[in-house]
Amino acid sequence: MAKQRKRFALVLASLMALTLVLSACGGGKASDNGAASGAGGSSDKPVELIWYTIGTPQKDVDRVMEEVNKYTKEKINATIKMKMIDFGDYTQKMQVMAASGEPMDILFTSSWAFDYVQNARKGAFMEIDELLDTHGKGIKEVLDPAFLEGSKVDGHNYAVPANKELPAQEVYRFNQELLDKYNLDISNVRSLESLEPLLKVIKENEPGITPYAIVNDHVPLMPFDYVIEKMPMAVYLDTKDYKVVNILETEEAKETLKTMRKFYQAGYISPEAATTTSVDDLYKSGKWFSDRAATQPLANNLWSASYGYPVTSTPAGDAYVYNWSVMGSMQAISANSKYPEKAMEFLNLLNTDPVLRNMIDSGIEGVHYEKVGDNVMRNLEESKNYDMPTFSLGNILITYLNENDPADKWEQFKEFNASGKNAPLLGFNFDATNVASEIAAVQNVKDEFWASLMTGTVDPEEYLPKANEKFKAAGLDKIIAEAQRQIDEWRAASNK
């Protein structure tokens, strides 16, 4: 199973752009609109479902989908046309296609890519409460109830969350071969600053290696729970008063961005980081030393199996259950889908049938992977042509184990899910209706400054004041005031 686990609910390590402006797409409850209802063996013409999902486009997608379609045609009389869009491009391209009415049935959405809450409210997704009851009963049986409950928008579900890790915990990851080569110790690495001595060794001795691999959506780890992901307003993780702050005015952000600038000037970060949407070439070639990612139990095994060389990690922060981790990976049914019932049948099969789930995740047995046990697999050389982001494709608790995984791996997941601390804004969903124009203006300012500041490309001492001045002019203070009002009301209603 080609498992590109480097981006769990991340990458996180990482967190991304807000999608807000969509045309009215005719959202609402699913209705019977002529969807083919035949199950396996039906003489009806199979329905083709168009599925947009996130991830670096893979060479063998169409080849794998040919095999998938043989299976789904037999099971639910449907075939799948998968269309992959790379991580850094997904939000913008999906926004354009959704607004233009591009045909689609199933689409990846999350808290960090093609924003789930905002697009549900804008009518881009179909309300699926009834569909879950009629065509998705298997999903409700296997999915941790916290996912469906935590991903409701104004009391309703608009997408099926992936059954995966519930909390989010960031780690710093390392290419083990380089750690061993230079006898580097990561036991004291926890903060961004503590990485520097290791990065310095790699920079001085390995000219062909990127010491700290990041892309343009990178956000350094800071002690905030964001009101809207990757927008500069948040409450502190240890907040008692739930005061919303502009993070770019905090000392924590100022110091962190100074460190990023120092890393950039020292050559630890690629000069093109602010415009780079993928570093998959570095992962495939092994020409990276460290990065940051969201973890899960036994993640090192997954990363190592995916890349073909050992990867290790150390915690960068504690495990928290955020809104964005509950909503970190979801499949929605488009409000414009011609076949909502069939789309839910497919999602039900995807999340309950190990044969389908592993085929979509791992490719073709004997080509991309081989079985070495009843539910254990090993990647083959061709897996490099089908290395999928497992977290984005549904229920991971029915995927095959890697050779080094213990038999109780999924029990460890359940324990991990129970261990997370609740972030302060868990359960709060900001309604941007009253400040929609200001949000759009702030987004424009963010597009101008965010990536260059977060990647260290520009000097924060010069550019932070400029950014804050433009954010204020765009209406950030008004948005913060509206967020504060809604949070205060939410706290009063929920006894926070």
Side-chain angles (χ1 to χ4, degrees), residues 333-450:
I333 297 174
S334 171
N336 292 331
S337 173
K338 295 180 181 179
Y339 312 112
E341 292 88 356
K342 193 61 65 176
M344 182 57 76
E345 283 186 49
F346 170 73
L347 291 175
N348 192 71
L349 195 67
L350 179 67
N351 284 278
T352 59
D353 186 321
V355 174
L356 175 63
R357 179 65 179 90
N358 283 284
M359 197 185 313
I360 286 178
D361 187 66
S362 309
I364 303 167
E365 184 177 357
V367 176
H368 300 101
Y369 74 95
E370 63 181 357
K371 294 283 289 294
V372 292
D374 288 341
N375 67 331
V376 184
M377 53 76 61
R378 175 193 299 141
N379 281 334
L380 298 175
E381 177 64 21
E382 287 298 305
S383 68
K384 67 179 183 297
N385 294 322
Y386 194 74
D387 190 13
M388 300 292 281
T390 295
F391 80 93
S392 69
L393 300 171
N395 183 5
I396 73 168
L397 274 64
I398 57 173
T399 57
Y400 296 140
L401 302 179
N402 288 295
E403 289 181 281
N404 296 327
D405 289 338
D408 68 345
K409 175 178 179 176
W410 303 127
E411 290 303 315
Q412 292 190 39
F413 261 73
K414 293 175 183 178
E415 292 174 6
F416 179 69
N417 285 353
S419 72
K421 307 173 186 177
N422 286 348
L425 295 181
L426 180 64
F428 171 76
N429 291 314
F430 180 57
D431 184 349
T433 303
N434 294 337
V435 287
S437 60
E438 288 81 6
I439 288 279
V442 165
Q443 182 65 43
N444 288 335
V445 177
K446 178 177 174 286
D447 290 343
E448 180 181 355
F449 289 99
W450 194 260

Side-chain angles (χ1 to χ4, degrees), residues 216-229:
N216 64 347
D217 67 346
H218 173 80
V219 177
L221 195 60
M222 292 179 278
F224 300 116
D225 188 6
Y226 294 85
V227 176
I228 299 174
E229 282 309 304

Side-chain angles (χ1 to χ4, degrees), residues 135-261:
H135 293 75
K137 292 180 180 178
I139 292 171
K140 298 183 76 171
E141 291 172 1
V142 302
L143 188 61
D144 187 321
F147 283 106
L148 282 175
E149 185 61 32
S151 61
K152 287 183 177 179
V153 177
D154 303 326
H156 299 284
N157 289 110
Y158 291 87
V160 177
N163 204 21
K164 59 177 187 61
E165 72 282 359
L166 186 60
Q169 183 175 22
E170 295 291 308
V171 294
Y172 290 114
R173 298 193 309 171
F174 300 91
N175 183 332
Q176 182 71 57
E177 292 175 347
L178 290 168
L179 286 178
D180 293 343
K181 182 176 180 178
Y182 295 100
N183 195 29
L184 297 173
D185 180 12
I186 63 171
S187 61
N188 293 319
V189 172
R190 176 82 174 190
S191 65
L192 186 65
E193 293 78 9
S194 64
L195 276 174
E196 184 173 13
L198 287 71
L199 301 179
K200 187 173 186 293
V201 171
I202 300 302
K203 177 62 178 177
E204 291 176 349
N205 293 279
E206 296 285 348
I209 300 294
T210 298
Y212 191 51
I214 61 174
V215 295
N216 64 347
D217 67 346
H218 173 80
V219 177
L221 195 60
M222 292 179 278
F224 300 116
D225 188 6
Y226 294 85
V227 176
I228 299 174
E229 282 309 304
K230 298 203 171 172
M231 293 286 273
M233 55 180 183
V235 301
Y236 282 92
L237 281 171
D238 61 356
T239 188
K240 297 296 188 293
D241 60 8
Y242 286 73
K243 181 182 178 181
V244 182
V245 299
N246 172 2
I247 69 161
L248 298 180
E249 294 180 336
T250 67
E251 289 303 315
E252 289 86 354
K254 292 175 183 177
E255 290 304 313
T256 298
L257 295 184
K258 284 181 184 178
T259 300
M260 290 300 296
R261 178 60 176 168

